[in-house]
Amino acid sequence: MDTANLTREETAARSAAVSVRSIRVELDLTGAPERSRTGFPTATTLEFDSDAPETWLDFIGESVDRVVLNDQEQEVVFDGARIRLSGLAASNTVRVEATGAYSRSGEGLHRFHDPADEETYLYTQYEPADSRRVMACFEQPDMKASYTFVVDAPAGWEVLSNQAPLKTDIGLGVQRVEFAPTLPVSSYITAVAAGPYARVDGEWHRDEQGIALGVFARRSLVQHLEADEILEITRQGLDFFTDSFAYPYPWGKYDQIFVPEYNLGAMENPGLVTFTEAYLSRGAATDAQRAARANTILHEMAHMWFGDLVTMKWWDDLWLKESFADYMGSHASAVATRFHDAWVKFAANRKAWAYQQDQLPTTHPIVADITDLEAAKLNFDGITYAKGAAVLKQLVAFVGDEAFFEGARRYFAANAFGNTTLDDFLVQLSAVSGRDMTGWSKAWLETSGMSTLWTETDADGRAVLMQAAPRPHRLRIGLYDRVDGRVVRRAQSELDISEERTVVDLQDADLVLLNDDDLTYAKVRLNERSLATVEASLSSIDDPLARALVWSSLWNATRDGELDAVRYVAIVREHAPGEPNIGLLAGILPHAAFALRHFVADERRADEQRVWTEAAWNALRQADPGSDGQLSWARALATASAFDDVRSAEIRSLLDGDVPEGLTVDPDLRWQLLTALVTTGHADAEDIASELERDDTATGHTAARRALASRPDAGVRSAAWDAAWSDLTLSNDHLDAEISGFRAGGRRDLIARFDEEYFARIADAWHERSIELAQRLVVGLFPATDALDLADAWLDAHESAPAALRRVVIEQRDHLARDLRVRAALA
């Protein structure tokens, strides 16, 4: 038995028998700058009551050195994941002294050495179950406690945790910082960060409440921090949520820290929110990027209530925090910040993630059946986030804003600092809305899959709204006409449907848009007249949300093989250069690139790729100087040029400084352009070394590794393959770089010989690597074969493999099956 993979049943039994009062964690991080030192001393003192004579603590690290229970030395019984405690009294105090391991995978206490200035930075990341890599704990969300952190660190470092420091003692070259105790929280949202981070301070006030704000980043990145905008969004969010939830922010301070080699977008640790450094642009950023950062800031802030104040009992109800936070990120962006078009991007891009996930054979209800921690890790997906948010948007359309928010207020008041399940929320919502929400919950939260909507004409000439996989929907139908070169809405009707066929009063229109205003969660098909209209006039649709829904419909039809991928890319070529909404353009361009590589028939791909590369080049030249569109097309050109070298000379000129007026070629774009040249054989290791000398930063080193692995040489790709599987010193980002280089340019001729070896390796990798790194290997190196035989053979031979590993392989197989099916149908 893998004792690290905790199950729902055993953790439920533990929390029924054990009640935690307080936890004190002492960490000695003074040796972190020494690269040869792999671990750090950690001591945890836990006070708890127990009805059982024995239990266990969770810990994963280098060693457990001492266990003292109720002042009595205990034999250390440690299997690598659990510390056995026996002879418990009704009230207990246990102290565990151990050595934790510094992480290079972004799990636990991650250590990063900055090549720009040789400084060392630390931060923690735990969700769902990696706090046990730092401290001995009860690693489950329903065992909340007050935590006190005491951290020894080098003098001069910023030392941060969930609460403000209570006292700081300065020694010779070291400091000890003791933080104020937290309010009751789950282990996975505790946090520590330490290092010579640069900081910018601010504050927020409302009536008698004042909140200290802090924004942090590595010193070598501080010039890219944009702290003023980050603090502005933070204040706007605190205003909005304080008013909306009628429950004051409870966590004291509000620090936000941008950290390197981060596995997620962000994490909602109360009082110390962590963000990926990808949100800090090194010279050029579109408004869509800033909107995404604002959305994430607000998403994490919503978690201070949904997730931190009130926490799911077990990971089955992960949606109780993530779906709500995803909804609130867009809602608060739209009503509280300058990014009023947040729902436009959500409709076209965020929901695309949900639609894709919901069509996989492994799809699951929003309220999922999570049997263990490995299953929990994989359920941070498009269902839990984007579908859940879309369904909540639909719920608001049913019950109204006021009932929804009043239900949330009552939910917080009734369950503050506690743990909940689905029923706890439905009780409050039913009470305020006057509706029994169990039917809605069964249809939307407890059932997987999605509806597809389209129109037909019956034998009597009546318009019929058809629904595959029927569910109850409230939706609007928009009728649009071409008027003076524009496509404008003439009329709109609203209706509730639940059956497979619904007769509707539908007048003729150039464009009939089902689910107008995007109230519900469903794929929508365009009729032939509507398709002809958008093919000719998509960029002339006035309403950006309507355009978003059209782009979404086209993309879903392409993925399903109902719209020829060549036709789809032609529509993109025609209308994307005129798309004024940068949030939409940011999703359209990668969809077109994906369609070319996955859905265009083999015999047509090279020609279509060339046409697309030329289109990107022409759109770049014609874009308004200094515009977000110009930058987006430059990035699209770089992506396309890794597969077609028709503009290699022009890309070299861009790198040499011959750039269109207004275009900022920042370090990240330079690496994209150079890697495209490397991939097609128009640049070499000497060019990469020269670029690294120009950009001798952490991002530069990762990009250089990716570029070196992208060289079109069988020996280079073989070395990248070996490094990915065998080099255990690679950080998470460097592993990604090797994988990306191995697959660069779609050069199956260089890598197909590894197909069978992939399937021979994945079971061992899953067992030997952390789940974060193993998942990157299994997903990133899955071979794009011309048949499903190898994947099917592995699944048949490994029926007893870990369920999480089988899920990943099944999903990758399904992606490949879709590619093959769509290409064959349209060949």
Side-chain angles (χ1 to χ4, degrees):
M1 175 184 177
D2 179 7
T3 61
N5 189 22
L6 302 176
T7 68
R8 178 175 54 200
E9 287 71 20
E10 63 184 342
T11 54
R14 180 167 64 173
S15 61
V18 175
S19 177
V20 193
R21 296 193 305 274
S22 67
I23 298 175
R24 180 182 175 90
V25 182
E26 302 166 40
L27 304 175
D28 182 356
L29 308 181
T30 55
E34 300 175 32
R35 300 193 183 198
S36 60
R37 185 171 296 193
T38 60
F40 57 92
T42 170
T44 311
T45 303
L46 305 96
E47 296 181 347
F48 61 95
D49 299 331
S50 178
D51 296 334
E54 65 176 34
T55 189
W56 80 93
L57 296 174
D58 303 297
F59 181 74
I60 297 174
E62 293 186 352
S63 65
V64 175
D65 307 313
R66 187 182 182 213
V67 176
V68 179
L69 175 63
N70 298 328
D71 297 323
Q72 299 296 313
E73 294 280 348
Q74 302 291 306
E75 178 187 2
V76 175
V77 182
F78 175 56
D79 64 4
R82 303 186 187 197
I83 304 167
R84 179 62 56 185
L85 300 178
S86 56
L88 297 178
S91 180
N92 301 275
T93 299
V94 63
R95 179 177 173 85
V96 176
E97 298 177 4
T99 303
Y102 290 115
S103 170
R104 293 291 284 138
S105 67
E107 302 156 294
L109 181 61
H110 190 82
R111 178 171 63 175
F112 175 81
H113 298 294
D114 190 343
D117 56 14
E118 298 301 320
E119 296 284 5
T120 299
Y121 293 89
L122 305 172
Y123 66 87
T124 57
Q125 171 56 38
Y126 296 152
E127 191 176 39
D130 286 317
S131 63
R132 55 186 169 166
R133 297 180 184 274
V134 175
M135 59 188 176
C137 63
F138 297 106
E139 189 74 281
Q140 56 193 88
D142 64 340
M143 296 186 73
K144 290 188 169 184
S146 172
Y147 284 81
T148 299
F149 286 92
V150 181
V151 180
D152 294 345
W157 277 18
E158 291 284 352
V159 183
L160 306 166
S161 188
N162 302 89
Q163 289 291 299
L166 198 60
K167 62 178 180 178
T168 301
D169 297 324
I170 305 296
L172 185 60
V174 298
Q175 58 179 321
R176 169 166 291 183
V177 183
E178 179 171 344
F179 294 90
T182 70
L183 293 167
V185 294
S186 305
S187 60
Y188 78 92
I189 51 174
T190 62
V192 170
Y197 289 98
R199 71 179 295 157
V200 178
D201 291 316
E203 56 184 0
W204 173 85
H205 290 280
R206 169 65 65 86
D207 299 327
E208 301 301 315
Q209 187 180 23
I211 303 294
L213 309 178
V215 182
F216 300 82
R218 288 186 288 128
R219 288 178 181 174
S220 60
L221 276 179
V222 70
Q223 68 269 33
H224 307 300
L225 185 54
E226 294 187 321
D228 288 346
E229 179 170 299
I230 292 166
L231 288 169
E232 178 185 18
I233 298 295
T234 303
R235 294 186 185 101
Q236 290 169 334
L238 287 169
D239 284 338
F240 173 80
F241 289 120
T242 297
D243 292 339
S244 298
F245 293 157
Y247 194 110
Y249 174 77
W251 305 111
K253 67 184 178 70
Y254 201 93
D255 288 338
Q256 297 172 99
I257 184 168
F258 293 82
V259 296
E261 298 184 328
Y262 198 55
N263 290 331
L264 310 177
M267 182 64 204
E268 67 267 19
N269 315 304
L272 181 57
V273 183
T274 41
F275 293 85
T276 173
E277 290 179 344
Y279 283 123
L280 304 181
S281 300
R282 298 196 300 155
T286 66
D287 217 39
Q289 290 174 272
R290 293 190 172 91
R293 183 175 64 198
N295 189 301
T296 302
I297 289 171
L298 296 168
H299 174 120
E300 302 308 323
M301 189 178 291
H303 275 312
M304 300 298 120
W305 291 265
F306 282 109
D308 294 357
L309 179 65
V310 183
T311 310
M312 68 273 156
K313 185 174 182 63
W314 178 249
W315 301 102
D316 294 355
D317 284 301
L318 176 62
W319 81 281
L320 275 172
K321 71 185 189 75
E322 293 303 347
S323 298
F324 281 88
D326 219 48
Y327 172 82
M328 289 296 172
S330 292
H331 181 66
S333 291
V335 303
T337 78
R338 69 182 178 88
F339 302 108
H340 302 303
D341 64 347
W343 287 119
V344 173
K345 186 175 181 182
F346 181 88
N349 302 338
R350 195 68 169 174
K351 287 176 79 171
W353 181 27
Y355 293 142
Q356 173 183 305
Q357 190 85 39
D358 217 3
Q359 293 178 89
L360 292 171
T362 57
T363 189
H364 56 85
I366 294 171
V367 179
D369 180 25
I370 304 298
T371 58
D372 56 37
L373 286 180
E374 285 196 357
K377 177 75 172 180
L378 297 188
N379 260 46
F380 289 81
D381 60 14
I383 303 298
T384 302
Y385 284 72
K387 180 180 180 180
V391 167
L392 288 176
K393 188 171 187 280
Q394 180 205 57
L395 173 65
V396 173
F398 270 114
V399 304
D401 271 348
E402 182 51 39
F404 177 77
F405 279 97
E406 179 58 26
R409 294 175 197 124
R410 296 188 183 189
Y411 175 70
F412 298 139
N415 301 289
F417 304 106
N419 296 87
T420 59
T421 64
L422 166 66
D423 288 343
D424 296 299
F425 179 71
L426 294 183
V427 164
Q428 302 300 334
L429 193 59
S430 295
V432 298
S433 68
R435 300 167 180 254
D436 181 356
M437 301 306 300
T438 56
W440 174 84
S441 175
K442 292 290 185 186
W444 287 105
L445 301 180
E446 301 168 61
T447 304
S448 61
M450 78 188 79
S451 305
T452 300
L453 307 177
W454 71 98
T455 58
E456 292 184 357
T457 303
D458 68 9
D460 298 324
R462 299 177 302 177
V464 181
L465 177 56
M466 304 295 296
Q467 179 183 185
R471 283 184 177 81
H473 298 268
R474 173 165 293 177
L475 56 85
R476 294 171 184 157
I477 300 176
L479 304 180
Y480 292 75
D481 291 331
R482 301 188 210 191
V483 179
D484 297 329
R486 311 301 301 167
V487 179
V488 297
R489 186 164 60 200
R490 163 169 48 91
Q492 187 187 70
S493 59
E494 184 173 307
L495 67 159
D496 293 339
I497 65 171
S498 59
E499 304 300 326
E500 183 177 351
R501 299 168 56 89
T502 304
V503 176
V504 292
D505 181 14
L506 203 60
Q507 301 172 10
D508 286 340
D510 292 325
L511 168 61
V512 177
L513 189 54
L514 307 179
N515 196 27
D516 203 14
D517 292 338
D518 196 36
L519 296 187
T520 196
Y521 173 78
K523 288 192 298 183
V524 168
R525 299 294 192 230
L526 300 174
N527 62 30
E528 282 302 319
R529 181 176 174 185
S530 297
L531 181 57
T533 296
V534 301
E535 198 163 23
S537 307
L538 197 164
S539 53
S540 299
I541 299 174
D542 280 344
D543 181 9
L545 183 54
R547 291 200 309 277
L549 295 170
V550 169
W551 282 116
S552 174
S553 178
L554 294 173
W555 176 239
N556 283 322
T558 303
R559 290 192 72 249
D560 293 345
E562 296 191 14
L563 178 65
D564 190 329
V566 171
R567 189 177 180 187
Y568 170 76
V569 176
I571 294 173
V572 175
R573 290 198 307 267
E574 177 67 24
H575 295 289
E579 176 53 65
N581 187 286
I582 189 60
L584 291 182
L585 186 63
I588 294 163
L589 297 180
H591 282 169
F594 189 93
L596 283 165
R597 304 313 308 168
H598 292 264
F599 300 142
V600 172
D602 295 344
E603 62 272 18
R604 302 176 68 181
R605 186 175 303 119
D607 289 343
E608 289 297 324
Q609 180 68 60
R610 174 142 300 182
V611 173
W612 173 248
T613 305
E614 291 283 31
W617 169 249
N618 290 328
L620 168 62
R621 290 193 303 162
Q622 295 165 11
D624 291 338
S627 66
D628 286 349
Q630 183 187 52
L631 180 58
S632 297
W633 281 108
R635 292 168 176 169
L637 174 66
T639 300
S641 296
F643 299 94
D644 185 279
D645 65 355
V646 65
R647 291 293 174 181
S648 59
E650 288 80 0
I651 288 179
R652 175 63 73 178
S653 294
L654 290 174
L655 289 170
D656 290 340
D658 183 10
V659 301
E661 179 188 355
L663 179 64
T664 299
V665 183
D666 68 2
D668 296 323
L669 180 55
R670 288 187 61 84
W671 280 113
Q672 281 184 272
L673 295 167
L674 177 60
T675 303
L677 293 180
V678 171
T679 302
T680 54
H682 294 282
D684 56 21
E686 185 176 340
D687 294 302
I688 297 169
S690 177
E691 192 66 26
L692 181 58
E693 185 175 348
R694 179 188 183 111
D695 182 29
D696 189 14
T697 65
T699 305
H701 280 258
T702 301
R705 181 180 288 272
R706 181 181 299 110
L708 286 168
S710 300
R711 288 171 290 169
D713 176 85
V716 167
R717 300 300 176 94
S718 178
W721 171 266
D722 291 340
W725 292 108
S726 304
D727 187 350
L728 302 183
T729 68
L730 292 178
S731 71
N732 44 5
D733 280 7
H734 286 180
L735 174 61
D736 278 352
E738 296 289 352
I739 292 172
S740 177
F742 176 77
R743 303 198 70 152
R747 291 292 302 271
R748 287 284 298 155
D749 57 313
L750 297 177
I751 63 175
R753 60 196 175 98
F754 296 105
D755 292 350
E756 293 186 10
E757 185 180 339
Y758 166 88
F759 288 101
R761 281 183 175 270
I762 56 177
D764 287 343
W766 196 267
H767 176 70
E768 295 166 1
R769 299 287 194 101
S770 71
I771 189 171
E772 178 66 39
L773 298 185
Q775 188 176 359
R776 292 180 189 223
L777 287 165
V778 177
V779 172
L781 293 173
F782 187 91
T785 53
D786 293 328
L788 300 171
D789 300 356
L790 290 175
D792 289 342
W794 187 90
L795 289 167
D796 290 343
H798 293 81
E799 292 184 357
S800 61
L805 172 58
R806 283 185 57 85
R807 172 179 168 171
V808 174
V809 175
I810 288 169
E811 289 180 351
Q812 297 310 305
R813 180 212 180 271
D814 193 71
H815 291 317
L816 176 61
R818 179 181 292 266
D819 292 355
L820 298 176
R821 182 173 64 250
V822 171
R823 291 204 298 262
L826 300 176

